[in-house]
Amino acid sequence: MFFHVKELQYNAKPDKPDPIYAKKLQEVLGGQYGEISVMMQYLFQGWNCRAEKKYRDMLLDIGTEEIAHVEMLATMIAQLLDKAPVEEQEQAAKDPIIASVMGGMNPQHAIVNGLGASPNDSVGYPWTARYTIASGNLLADFRANLNAESQGRLQVVRLYEMTSDHGVRDMLSFLIARDTMHQNQWLAAITELEEKEGKVVPSTFNRQFEKLDVSYKFMSCSEGTESQSGRWASGPSIDGMGQFEYVDKPVGTGQAPELEQAPGYIHGTPKKM
């Protein structure tokens, strides 16, 4: 059961309307690494969690917080669209120089959303559940969560640099700080699981069925040997189960593919006419 508290988690008040910036802010609302994505990702990971109760509780804690972040961004976008000077923009756009500088607001903010936010990214691409990951393997999922928070924080920081509005920056500074916590949270959870399960996902696969002779070989499959100096090319493997080996010129050991002729009803190209 969810309850809604009327007050936002943190202030979302711009100093003045800015419909063009509202369009940019849509990216961290409805983009691939936006707040809708992490909200849905964490909630479904929590609802599907079959592991220790603390993980389910933690996932639902952060997933619910992300609902609050969606609300903050939607509120900020709506206020950036308050009294949006559409007519002034249209007049200014008659000057081609000003028009090129302005770039233009998202017309759907006015036409479709009634001066409100939408579950789309900054170029109008609709949010999709395919952005989310909930595999049932917590170590795999938490690594995906760390990536999502890393990319999300990067985008919010870039948006922070794109505005001088003190109110917008104040809200973004809060989101940046929460992303700092969330990255640390996932790193802590990943470390805890790695200590129990090991570093390779999944840890439950019987390794006698794995081709162990190639499990720790780095294969140089492009021109140049600069990659040989990396940590991944020599020394003990990160999982502590082997030694990295650099293979300068890997050679294929499989067969040369030759497919059978397709049956007639497929109407493919025959080998011989």
Side-chain angles (χ1 to χ4, degrees), residues 62-161:
I62 185 174
T64 305
E65 180 185 359
E66 299 297 358
I67 300 176
H69 295 175
V70 170
E71 183 179 33
M72 288 166 57
L73 283 167
T75 301
M76 177 63 80
I77 289 170
Q79 290 179 104
L80 287 167
L81 294 167
D82 277 347
K83 302 175 183 178
V86 177
E87 292 183 6
E88 293 178 21
Q89 289 189 55
E90 290 175 346
Q91 286 297 117
K94 292 178 181 178
D95 183 327
I97 297 176
I98 296 177
S100 64
V101 172
M102 288 173 53
M105 71 179 287
N106 179 357
Q108 287 199 340
H109 275 157
I111 300 168
V112 179
N113 308 118
L115 301 182
S118 64
N120 302 318
D121 67 14
S122 57
V123 295
Y125 189 85
W127 183 85
T128 170
R130 290 188 179 274
Y131 292 155
T132 65
I133 294 173
S135 71
N137 184 297
L138 291 185
L139 182 52
D141 285 352
F142 290 177
R143 287 172 175 171
N145 296 350
L146 176 60
N147 176 65
E149 293 288 349
S150 300
Q151 294 291 339
R153 188 174 189 274
L154 175 61
Q155 292 183 357
V156 174
V157 165
R158 287 172 173 169
L159 279 162
Y160 183 94
E161 303 288 0

Side-chain angles (χ1 to χ4, degrees), residues 22 26 50 91 101 105 126 141 167 170 174 177 179-180 206 222 224 230 245 249 253 265:
Q26 282 283 160
R50 299 174 185 272
Q91 286 297 117
V101 172
M105 71 179 287
D141 285 352
D170 184 49
F174 176 83
D179 285 347
T180 296
N206 188 337
S222 64
E245 179 184 346
K249 296 179 180 179
T253 58
Y265 65 83

